[in-house]
């Protein structure tokens, strides 16, 4: 059970499963954030490759953590409150289901499942177990995305009509991504789709998508995709992306053009914002005036993984649903799988209503 630690704050015992590249990002975020470091104890490390777990324990000074490649044995032995799931997507369903069955609250890396059916099963399982199940969508926990959401909410651009995102990066990872199907849509575009849903405050209704593995691609499948989404309230969201585009790289957050009835916002995905709205009723091109993009409403929500982990434990503590709960995140995952299906069938694909509730 969770216990009261320093200052009567709840403290948590956690097992981390999947000790590869990304797990270091999690442990670094916890170590560098006092509010997390003081409250989370890693009591176990799990990986089908025990060497990876031992290396991680040594690198992060986790000598007291149990290392065990059998997840059930580790959960039975350590009885943690939390399971941090950083395994490869194909292993996710079984790891999360096992942890929920052992009474853990689970925070998973994206994508929340390797199929929509798996995702639905995990949402149902978490509900039955009465445990919090949330997903790391760290790229919505950054200042730029929060600022845009706030600008849209303020109405300064008028009514939102369209969001357009460009993502072009020549990324040579090696590892599981090189052999994955639909690699860009499933492993990366989920971030951009989720950010669009968050910025717009609207869910997706349908998509048309053209997916390719461009000539010269070093991936096995689906390194590029062009998708047009219909969001609620007649809002259009377009995505053009490639992980096999050398040169003229965009930000990992994508380069955005966001259009409202009164004006347009450009964001380069880093520090540069440019927003203008109409300032007069005459002329072929109406006169424009610059507007400020407000700062994030809560600076604590701008630290990527650290913010997601803080949101997760805060939600458990207070009994509320975390922002990226599986039951909400499945709507972003549904965008991905509808895009994949659209590309496969070359048809407009409705996004299943049960994934939009
Ligand atoms: N949020 C982000 O920005 C971000 C960035 C990179 C990766 N990721 C996600 O993190 C996850 C892991 O990616 P990575 O880059 O660390 O991959 P990785 O291949 O470096 O590490 C994955 C680890 O999981 C282990 N593993 C595989 N099956 C397992 C199982 N059944 N039980 C326990 N361990 C198992 C592997 O042995 C490996 O050590 C993926 O879902 C990926 O999409 C997220």
């Amino acid at each position: 059970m969770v216990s009261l630690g320093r200052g009567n704050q709840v403290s948590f015992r956690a097992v981390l499963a999947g000790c590869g590249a990304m797990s270091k990002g999690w442990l670094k975020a916890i170590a560098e954030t006092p509010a997390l470091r003081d409250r989370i104890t890693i009591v176990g490390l799990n990986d089908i490759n025990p060497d990876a777990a031992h290396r991680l324990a040594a690198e992060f000074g986790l000598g007291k953590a149990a290392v065990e490649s059998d997840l059930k044995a580790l959960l039975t032995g350590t009885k943690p409150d939390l399971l941090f799931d950083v395994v490869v997507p194909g292993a996710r369903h079984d790891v999360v289901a096992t942890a929920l069955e052992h009474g853990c609250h689970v925070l998973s890396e994206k994508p929340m499942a390797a199929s929509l059916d798996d995702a639905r099963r995990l949402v149902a399982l978490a509900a039955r177990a009465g445990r919090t199940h949330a997903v790391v969508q760290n790229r919505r926990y950054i200042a730029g995305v929060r600022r845009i959401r706030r600008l849209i909410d303020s109405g300064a651009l008028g009514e939102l009509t369209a969001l357009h995102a460009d993502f072009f990066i020549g990324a040579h990872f090696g590892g599981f991504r090189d052999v994955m199907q639909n690699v860009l849509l499933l492993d990366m575009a989920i971030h951009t789709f989720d950010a669009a849903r968050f910025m717009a405050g609207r869910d997706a209704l349908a998509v048309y998508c053209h997916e390719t593995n461009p000539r010269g691609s070093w991936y096995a499948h689906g390194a590029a995709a062009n998708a047009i989404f219909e969001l609620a309230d007649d809002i259009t969201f377009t995505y053009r992306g490639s992980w096999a585009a050398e040169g003229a790289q965009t930000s990992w957050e994508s380069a955005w053009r966001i259009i409202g009835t009164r004006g347009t916002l450009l964001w380069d995905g880093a520090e540069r914002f440019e927003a203008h709205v109409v300032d007069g009723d005459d002329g072929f091109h109406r006169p424009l005036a610059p507007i400020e993009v407000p700062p994030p409403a809560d600076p604590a929500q701008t630290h990527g993984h650290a913010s997601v982990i803080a949101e997760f434990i805060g939600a458990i503590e207070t009994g509320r649903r975390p922002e990226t709960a599986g039951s909400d995140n499945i709507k972003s995952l549904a965008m991905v799988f509808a895009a994949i299906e659209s590309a496969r069938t070359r048809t407009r694909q409705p996004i299943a209503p049960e994934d939009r509730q």
Side-chain angles (χ1 to χ4, degrees):
M1 272 304 289
V2 292
S3 55
L4 289 180
R6 229 183 289 169
N8 271 358
Q9 281 200 308
V10 176
S11 60
F12 300 89
R13 303 168 73 256
V15 160
L16 182 146
C19 301
M22 194 61 236
S23 66
K24 297 180 188 191
W26 285 56
L27 294 180
K28 208 157 166 278
I30 293 168
E32 290 174 354
T33 311
L36 301 179
R37 187 179 59 218
D38 294 346
R39 304 179 62 196
I40 297 173
T41 307
I42 305 290
V43 295
L45 295 171
N46 163 256
D47 199 295
I48 48 171
N49 171 7
D51 289 347
H54 284 294
R55 273 197 305 274
L56 195 68
E59 186 176 340
F60 284 88
L62 298 173
K64 288 189 190 151
V67 170
E68 172 58 73
S69 54
D70 178 339
L71 182 60
K72 286 183 183 166
L74 183 59
L75 296 178
T76 304
T78 56
K79 297 190 173 38
D81 311 301
L82 313 178
L83 186 284
F84 291 153
D85 154 30
V86 202
V87 300
V88 292
R92 176 138 302 128
H93 175 274
D94 290 356
V95 165
V96 176
T98 301
L100 289 169
E101 281 157 6
H102 280 75
C104 300
H105 302 283
V106 179
L107 182 61
S108 268
E109 258 304 340
K110 43 56 61 172
M112 74 174 275
S115 75
L116 211 45
D117 280 344
D118 277 1
R120 290 184 185 116
R121 267 194 291 275
L122 293 178
V123 169
L125 206 56
R128 268 206 306 281
R131 288 293 177 268
T132 299
H133 169 222
V135 181
V136 170
Q137 290 291 178
N138 49 308
R139 292 181 187 276
R140 65 155 68 191
Y141 282 91
I142 61 170
V145 171
R146 298 276 152 179
R147 292 178 68 184
I148 292 174
R149 167 70 186 252
R150 216 174 155 199
L151 181 73
I152 291 172
D153 279 353
S154 76
L157 290 175
E159 285 182 45
L160 183 65
T161 61
L163 306 97
H164 302 286
D166 276 355
F167 177 91
F168 294 104
I169 293 184
H172 297 258
F173 292 100
F176 72 89
R177 294 180 186 82
D178 285 9
V179 293
M180 211 172 144
Q181 298 289 295
N182 316 106
V183 64
L184 182 74
L185 286 170
L186 198 49
D187 198 61
M188 188 64 217
I190 179 75
H191 284 298
T192 318
F193 295 178
D194 181 72
R197 249 188 80 223
F198 175 72
M199 289 176 188
R202 312 291 205 294
D203 293 334
L205 308 179
V207 61
Y208 180 82
C209 180
H210 177 65
E211 183 190 35
T212 59
N213 200 31
R215 196 172 305 125
S217 166
W218 47 97
Y219 295 87
H221 187 259
N226 294 274
I228 305 169
F229 286 93
E230 298 161 32
L231 304 190
D233 297 327
D234 280 335
I235 296 166
T236 301
F237 164 50
T238 70
Y239 171 82
R240 304 189 299 180
S242 176
W243 244 346
E246 300 285 23
Q249 171 167 327
T250 63
S251 151
W252 282 85
E253 315 308 334
S254 298
W256 293 78
R257 175 183 289 263
I258 293 170
I259 306 171
T261 49
R262 295 192 58 230
T264 291
L265 164 74
L266 296 179
W267 179 42
D268 68 353
E271 301 303 319
R272 202 171 60 79
F273 291 87
E274 212 182 298
H276 290 88
V277 292
V278 168
D279 189 27
D281 299 329
D282 299 318
F284 180 75
H285 295 301
R286 297 294 197 247
L288 296 169
I291 55 167
E292 288 295 319
V293 180
D298 180 358
Q301 293 177 323
T302 62
H303 303 294
H305 276 79
S307 295
V308 185
I309 298 168
E311 163 73 4
F312 174 65
I313 63 173
I316 294 168
E317 207 169 7
T318 56
R320 65 180 161 80
R321 188 170 91 143
E323 186 180 299
T324 60
S327 53
D328 181 77
N329 193 251
I330 196 168
K331 298 174 192 170
S332 297
L333 195 72
M335 293 171 75
V336 169
F337 283 108
I340 290 172
E341 189 57 12
S342 166
R344 193 183 69 77
T345 56
R346 297 187 178 257
T347 57
R348 173 183 176 276
Q349 195 63 30
I351 294 175
E354 66 267 35
D355 303 320
R356 292 194 267 110
Q357 295 314 303

